[in-house]
Amino acid sequence: MMGLTVLSVHAQETDTTRPTSVDPKLIEWLNSRIPKEYTIAAVSITGIKHLDTSIVYSIANLQPGEKFVYPGADIFGKTIANLWRQKLFSNIQILVTRVEEDKVWLEVNVQERSRLGNFSFVGVKKAEQEDLLTKLTLAKQTIITENTHREIIEKTTTFYTEKAYRNVKVWIESRPDTSFVNSDELIIHVDKGSKVKIDNVRFYGNENVDDFRLKKQMKGIKEMGKATLNPAHEPSPYGGEIPFSFNQWLKEWGFLSLSKTKKLLDPWFRFKLSGAKFDEKKYEEDREKILNYYNSLGYRDAQITDDTLLRIKKSGNINVDIKVEEGRKYYFGNITWKGNAKYTDSVLNFLLGINKGDVYNLSVLNKRLGKEASQEGGDISGLYMDDGYLFFRAEPVETAVYNDTIDYEIRITEGPQARIKNVAISGNEKTKDYVIRRELRTIPGELFSRSDLIRSQRELANLQYFNQETINPGVVPNAEDGTVDINWKLEEKSSDQLELSAGWGGGIGLTGTLGVTFNNFSINNIFKKSSWDPLPTGDGQKLSLRYQSNGRAFRSLIFSFTEPWLGGEKRNSFTIGVNSSKFSNAFNQFGQPDRSRSDSNYLKTTGLSIALGKQLKWPDDYFSLVYTLNFTQYKLRNYPIFDESFRTGTSNNVSVKIALQRSSVFDPMFPVSGSNFIASVQLTPPYSLLNKSIEKAENKFKNPEYHKWRFNAEWYVPLGKPMGAEKNRQFVLKIAAKYGFMGRYNRKLDYSPFERFQVGDAGLTNNFGLLGYDIIAHRGYYVYQNSDPTINPDQQSATQFFTIFNKYQLELRFPLVRNPGSTIYALTFFEAANGWFNYKDYNPFRLRRSVGVGMRFFLPMFGLLGFDYGVGLDRINSANPGLKNASRFTFMLGFEPE
């Protein structure tokens, strides 16, 4: 090589390994000022160690024979840009190595970038590493660039800043990684420092709204361990804050000195809140919430004029000082309407519910007009849209502002009434279209109705065939012809359930259970071989089969089938159920099986039930009426379950049940609103009034008679605002009241031993369930009365076979997981219940109380799985002190007990 001349350079590092002597011809060529045309004679690629030279040559796109003019434009700029864009090189040079007349020899010299080999973190916990890696885009054998380093530092810093580590330091150590070719190992060092928390949030300029109410609006950030009960306060000697008025009251009345007050209040006032860390994003959200709160109180001009974060040197925490300017408090003035032809001003004013002189609140005005989305209805927009006015618009316009009063004109555009044109369904791979369409209230040709659309969405969710979070009606208005298309997009989920369990107890030892429930069965395709995948599905019918056995002592088989739309035109349900079971005394006194006893001591039951249900139109279509005919035959052989006088024989229990029920619950797995009401009466024929021989002792069990009355009421009340990214997590309060009463036709006969009430424990079916008992759960208490002698000591019976029961329940729920695969929620409860044997002893105010916590798991294949820990408050006394002897852990599987 005679020498080199750098014609054009794009690099981060200079090449110091090349010779410094340069051919005079090159110097003469380089210093030439007269433009001349040259031809590229040859191009060489140097510096390549691992890449394919031909690839670099192709990217450079410098071809021998190509002509250029020099001096002139930067002809090699495009070549350098192409190479640099690949992010494969840290240094690029184009050099002229030789010049002969009009021919030029070029060299493209590059320096390859290293690739990412292994990487590790220092100063980061394992759990944090997993979360952090989801933020970073680190993949082995990718090119390491300056952006790689910058991204790691910025995202890691942001990750910890959001966790209140505002002094985090991140640096990267790089060293060759021999595990890979041309690779570097990156060691990411993180010094988090200490968390920055908030000592105090202080407001200035708030003359009409006190600190406590403003702080209550701040959900994202909280103070550390402050317990300010009054905005007028003074520092206490122990670092908390005592209200000045309360502290002064203590001094004046002399009840406690300050030192004693400290000792008394320390356990209650010195606490730390997990939300005390500072999150800048949440702080900005809280600023908006403060202003929105001011606006809701009529201070529409309120603004935050200044805010300061003051760092405390000693602790490293911060004080947040917020200066507000409240402005004037405003009130609504005159509200007029313009453009309304369908409804009069008086109707709209009544529905709006805002009068002259009410505190100004723009959010309330928009909500009443329906400008803020709501499924509850009751707004102006809902009134119009339920009558087909899909194109309805209402715009509130300020017409006058005088003193503290604001007048509004509501400008309405009613538009034409829209009719439903096309209704399409997609996403239903198993469920047939007609099963979906019969649940829809959006029918082609009918006027559009928002309430019908919402009701249809809820009905589809209640089928439990589809993921309720993704049910989308897809409303497509057609303004040209005044119609609307509705495209229902569905996502099917598994709704079948499998029960496979084993248990020990009940005096019969180990018992196995196998049960299956198919909630979208198709009996019409049962003889079509192609439909068995693994079973015929899609017609919306329910098939259930459950078998229990432990061998000789016990077996039970239950079968049921439900057609929810008998005839296919109306919501008239038909259910048939068959059951058969046998309890036998198959054990001797030492607990060993005795083959001779299993066939000589037993109770066999055979039952058949047929139910017809009808949806009612009045008072509304949430009501339904269900008629059920029940027949159960009991065969006893040396098995005195009722009475010693009736050890062997047959008993036939025939009854009719009529139930009136109303259900407006959406999503039965985790209801967030709505209610359930059921009032029922179950009657047998009055045999003793028709045949006096029934009164004889030997006949009283052959044809039992009774009338039984039940009433259940449940309300679901949402508390607070929905949380989570999908706004589907919300506290819900369940309020329930349940009553049961049994009557008799003939006072000469005792109450029937059938169909009584059993109260206590988890509400799981036991051997007395064969007698038709309603088993009422009462967490924290045993089922058997003699297991808990401290409760109702005047009622010492072997078992709680009550003829009356009352139960009240409060249950606060919060969902932890809500997705198509599972629903999991935590709960805490308060219950009060009791049972009585006769009306003479009935005292509705004598109830057994319990409190506790629990969890519920709804899994697609297994249904409900529940755990509760209950404490029977009335079991705690001097003879039975402490929680240990008054608590019960209960378990449930397959259904929510009563």
Side-chain angles (χ1 to χ4, degrees):
M1 179 182 294
M2 295 175 57
L4 62 86
T5 297
V6 180
L7 181 64
S8 182
V9 179
H10 192 305
Q12 292 181 323
E13 298 177 2
T14 57
D15 190 347
T16 60
T17 62
R18 292 185 172 274
T20 57
S21 60
V22 180
D23 188 344
K25 291 184 179 181
L26 293 179
I27 297 176
E28 179 183 352
W29 176 82
L30 185 63
N31 294 330
S32 174
R33 297 183 180 276
I34 301 175
K36 181 180 178 182
E37 186 177 67
Y38 294 90
T39 302
I40 299 175
V43 179
S44 61
I45 307 295
T46 60
I48 295 298
K49 296 181 180 179
H50 306 286
L51 294 174
D52 189 340
T53 303
S54 61
I55 294 177
V56 180
Y57 187 86
S58 175
I59 297 172
N61 197 26
L62 292 174
Q63 304 295 331
E66 185 178 349
K67 299 182 181 298
F68 66 93
V69 176
Y70 183 83
D74 186 3
I75 60 172
F76 302 126
K78 185 177 179 180
T79 298
I80 294 174
N82 288 341
L83 291 169
W84 195 253
R85 196 178 297 117
Q86 309 306 312
K87 298 182 179 180
L88 298 173
F89 313 107
S90 60
N91 200 344
I92 302 171
Q93 295 176 320
I94 297 180
L95 307 113
V96 176
T97 59
R98 180 179 172 189
V99 177
E100 289 186 3
E101 298 180 353
D102 64 344
K103 295 182 180 181
V104 177
W105 280 256
L106 300 179
E107 176 187 339
V108 179
N109 179 258
V110 296
Q111 182 177 337
E112 294 182 47
R113 290 185 185 274
S114 299
R115 295 178 179 270
L116 178 61
N118 293 306
F119 56 88
S120 59
F121 293 89
V122 176
V124 178
K125 295 180 181 178
K126 184 177 180 180
E128 292 176 344
Q129 287 185 28
E130 295 174 356
D131 294 339
L132 186 55
L133 286 174
T134 62
K135 310 289 184 182
L136 302 175
T137 54
L138 294 178
K140 292 183 179 181
Q141 292 305 286
T142 55
I143 301 297
I144 300 176
T145 66
E146 291 75 15
N147 286 338
T148 305
H149 287 252
R150 183 164 50 252
E151 180 186 0
I152 292 173
I153 293 174
E154 289 179 354
K155 290 188 176 182
T156 303
T157 302
T158 301
F159 176 79
Y160 283 104
T161 299
E162 292 175 353
K163 295 180 177 292
Y165 294 97
R166 298 183 63 83
N167 301 313
V168 62
K169 297 178 182 177
V170 182
W171 67 96
I172 300 173
E173 179 185 351
S174 178
R175 61 189 181 193
D177 190 341
T178 57
S179 302
F180 302 93
V181 176
N182 188 35
S183 299
D184 285 348
E185 177 185 3
L186 296 186
I187 303 172
I188 305 167
H189 296 265
V190 178
D191 181 3
K192 297 183 293 186
S194 58
K195 279 189 176 182
V196 176
K197 296 188 177 181
I198 302 169
D199 269 6
N200 296 285
V201 177
R202 300 179 293 198
F203 289 91
Y204 299 90
N206 53 317
E207 298 177 357
N208 299 294
V209 183
D210 59 53
D211 289 15
F212 178 77
R213 287 195 289 168
L214 293 178
K215 291 176 183 178
K216 192 176 179 181
Q217 309 310 311
M218 304 177 74
K219 308 299 183 183
I221 63 173
K222 302 289 184 182
E223 296 174 308
M224 284 184 56
K226 296 297 177 184
T228 305
L229 303 180
N230 190 301
H233 55 261
E234 64 177 9
S236 76
Y238 55 94
E241 291 184 352
I242 302 177
F244 177 80
S245 56
F246 177 64
N247 187 36
Q248 191 67 32
W249 181 85
L250 290 173
K251 291 180 180 179
E252 290 178 1
W253 288 91
F255 282 98
L256 292 170
S257 66
L258 275 178
S259 60
K260 292 182 179 179
T261 304
K262 169 188 179 304
K263 293 179 181 178
L264 176 65
L265 298 181
D266 263 346
W268 302 96
F269 283 80
R270 300 194 70 178
F271 58 88
K272 289 188 177 181
L273 298 173
S274 59
K277 65 182 182 181
F278 183 81
D279 186 318
E280 190 167 351
K281 183 179 179 181
K282 291 182 178 179
Y283 174 61
E284 291 300 324
E285 294 173 356
D286 284 347
R287 282 167 49 97
E288 290 297 319
K289 290 176 183 176
I290 291 171
L291 294 179
N292 290 338
Y293 180 64
Y294 264 113
N295 293 339
S296 71
L297 299 177
Y299 298 95
R300 73 164 191 167
D301 299 330
Q303 56 182 323
I304 295 175
T305 58
D306 193 16
D307 60 344
T308 306
L309 305 180
L310 298 177
R311 185 175 181 82
I312 304 172
K313 293 182 179 180
K314 184 176 181 180
S315 63
N317 296 330
I318 60 174
N319 287 334
V320 179
D321 293 343
I322 302 174
K323 185 178 181 180
V324 299
E325 186 177 306
E326 295 177 332
R328 172 178 288 183
K329 186 172 184 177
Y330 289 89
Y331 301 87
F332 282 109
N334 296 313
I335 297 179
T336 58
W337 302 85
K338 183 179 180 180
N340 52 309
K342 175 70 175 178
Y343 299 102
T344 63
D345 290 5
S346 58
V347 171
L348 297 179
N349 280 327
F350 175 79
L351 194 60
L352 186 67
I354 298 177
N355 301 313
K356 185 176 182 179
D358 288 353
V359 173
Y360 175 82
N361 189 333
L362 183 59
S363 178
V364 170
L365 177 62
N366 287 331
K367 186 175 182 180
R368 302 279 175 84
L369 290 175
K371 296 179 70 64
E372 297 181 4
S374 172
Q375 289 196 348
E376 302 304 321
D379 51 63
I380 303 293
S381 178
L383 177 69
Y384 273 92
M385 287 193 176
D386 284 347
D387 198 22
Y389 291 92
L390 175 62
F391 306 100
F392 167 83
R393 298 291 182 271
E395 295 296 333
V397 179
E398 291 184 9
T399 56
V401 179
Y402 47 95
N403 298 325
D404 61 353
T405 303
I406 303 175
D407 290 345
Y408 267 97
E409 180 180 81
I410 312 298
R411 298 175 183 175
I412 290 179
T413 304
E414 293 180 338
Q417 287 179 298
R419 291 192 176 273
I420 299 173
K421 186 177 182 180
N422 300 309
V423 177
I425 301 171
S426 61
N428 53 317
E429 298 178 359
K430 294 183 178 179
T431 308
K432 297 177 181 178
D433 277 10
Y434 84 90
V435 174
I436 299 170
R437 291 188 182 277
R438 68 191 186 189
E439 302 291 338
L440 299 179
R441 294 162 186 264
T442 53
I443 302 172
E446 297 288 336
L447 286 174
F448 175 84
S449 171
R450 188 176 74 172
S451 61
D452 285 347
L453 191 74
I454 295 172
R455 181 70 182 274
S456 299
Q457 189 173 2
R458 291 183 173 181
E459 296 291 357
L460 290 176
N462 284 338
L463 290 176
Q464 297 297 302
Y465 305 157
F466 311 106
N467 175 13
Q468 64 162 7
E469 302 294 337
T470 59
I471 296 176
N472 182 8
V475 178
V476 182
N478 305 310
E480 295 80 9
D481 57 2
T483 62
V484 56
D485 293 337
I486 300 177
N487 303 315
W488 290 97
K489 295 182 180 180
L490 307 173
E491 178 187 342
E492 285 188 316
K493 67 175 185 178
S494 175
S495 59
D496 300 329
Q497 296 176 0
L498 170 67
E499 180 184 356
L500 183 62
S501 62
W504 180 276
I508 57 176
L510 182 65
T511 302
T513 302
L514 175 62
V516 290
T517 301
F518 303 100
N519 289 304
N520 194 5
F521 189 70
S522 174
I523 198 171
N524 298 328
N525 295 325
I526 199 168
F527 296 111
K528 294 182 180 179
K529 185 178 180 181
S530 60
S531 299
W532 287 73
D533 186 27
L535 286 174
T537 60
D539 281 333
Q541 298 155 346
K542 182 177 180 179
L543 180 69
S544 180
L545 183 65
R546 189 171 189 263
Y547 181 75
Q548 284 184 292
S549 177
N550 83 325
R552 292 185 170 276
F554 167 71
R555 64 159 178 80
S556 172
L557 178 65
I558 302 173
F559 168 83
S560 68
F561 171 80
T562 299
E563 168 56 73
W565 286 70
L566 185 63
E569 295 184 359
K570 295 183 179 180
R571 196 190 295 268
N572 297 329
S573 63
F574 170 77
T575 301
I576 183 170
V578 179
N579 65 81
S580 174
S581 61
K582 177 182 178 181
F583 268 96
S584 61
N585 190 359
F587 297 89
N588 60 28
Q589 61 180 339
F590 299 106
Q592 299 299 321
D594 187 338
R595 295 178 181 274
S596 63
R597 299 182 68 184
S598 63
D599 291 329
S600 60
N601 305 71
Y602 59 78
L603 164 64
K604 292 181 180 180
T605 67
T606 304
L608 173 67
S609 66
I610 299 175
L612 290 173
K614 179 181 181 181
Q615 185 181 32
L616 304 179
K617 298 297 183 182
W618 185 88
D620 60 38
D621 57 6
Y622 287 109
F623 279 88
S624 62
L625 191 62
V626 181
Y627 305 89
T628 306
L629 174 64
N630 296 292
F631 169 76
T632 305
Q633 184 181 76
Y634 301 87
K635 289 189 175 182
L636 290 80
R637 183 174 183 181
N638 295 324
Y639 208 96
I641 190 171
F642 304 130
D643 191 281
E644 284 294 336
S645 63
F646 188 65
R647 299 177 60 91
T648 301
T650 301
S651 178
N652 297 313
N653 182 3
V654 180
S655 66
V656 174
K657 183 178 180 180
I658 303 173
L660 177 66
Q661 57 190 43
R662 183 185 189 276
S663 177
S664 59
V665 166
F666 173 51
D667 184 13
M669 287 195 299
F670 188 80
V672 296
S673 62
S675 59
N676 287 322
F677 297 93
I678 302 176
S680 67
V681 58
Q682 187 173 349
L683 309 164
T684 65
Y687 300 108
S688 64
L689 300 182
L690 302 175
N691 185 357
K692 297 296 183 180
S693 65
I694 299 296
E695 297 179 3
K696 297 181 180 180
E698 62 271 19
N699 296 327
K700 65 180 180 179
F701 295 114
K702 291 184 178 181
N703 295 103
E705 61 177 34
Y706 57 86
H707 50 91
K708 177 171 147 183
W709 305 78
R710 288 290 310 271
F711 178 76
N712 289 0
E714 296 176 342
W715 295 268
Y716 297 91
V717 183
L719 302 178
K721 296 182 179 180
M723 295 176 280
E726 299 180 2
K727 300 297 181 182
N728 63 350
R729 298 173 62 189
Q730 184 175 19
F731 282 101
V732 176
L733 179 64
K734 176 186 176 182
I735 307 171
K738 302 180 181 183
Y739 305 91
F741 302 91
M742 172 171 280
R744 53 187 175 179
Y745 299 110
N746 193 332
R747 292 186 175 274
K748 295 181 180 180
L749 295 177
D750 195 4
Y751 292 100
S752 169
F754 298 93
E755 300 291 342
R756 292 197 179 193
F757 307 109
Q758 195 176 73
V759 182
D761 214 59
L764 296 178
T765 301
N766 50 51
N767 57 331
F768 293 103
L770 298 175
L771 304 182
Y773 285 8
D774 290 355
I775 302 176
I776 311 301
H778 192 190
R779 293 164 285 190
Y781 291 89
Y782 291 93
V783 170
Y784 292 97
Q785 185 69 38
N786 57 6
S787 297
D788 192 10
T790 62
I791 307 303
N792 289 354
D794 55 316
Q795 297 182 10
Q796 292 298 320
S797 174
T799 52
Q800 292 179 324
F801 300 164
F802 299 124
T803 59
I804 308 168
F805 90 92
N806 293 170
K807 179 181 176 181
Y808 305 92
Q809 182 184 41
L810 290 175
E811 191 170 278
L812 183 63
R813 303 174 171 183
F814 183 77
L816 304 176
V817 176
R818 292 192 70 185
N819 56 48
S822 61
T823 297
I824 303 173
Y825 65 87
L827 61 89
T828 180
F829 65 86
F830 170 79
E831 291 180 344
N834 212 342
W836 296 267
F837 293 100
N838 54 65
Y839 290 88
K840 181 180 178 181
D841 298 326
Y842 175 51
N843 182 354
F845 301 103
R846 188 176 188 183
L847 302 171
R848 303 181 298 173
R849 301 159 298 168
S850 66
V851 296
V853 295
M855 292 285 293
R856 296 291 183 272
F857 305 83
F858 283 94
L859 306 176
M861 283 297 294
F862 297 95
L864 170 70
L865 180 64
F867 304 92
D868 288 310
Y869 178 79
V871 178
L873 300 179
D874 293 290
R875 296 174 62 193
I876 303 175
N877 52 39
S878 58
N880 191 35
L883 296 179
K884 182 178 180 180
N885 298 322
S887 59
R888 290 274 292 157
F889 182 80
T890 53
F891 166 80
M892 61 201 68
L893 178 66
F895 67 99
E896 184 77 33
E898 286 200 74

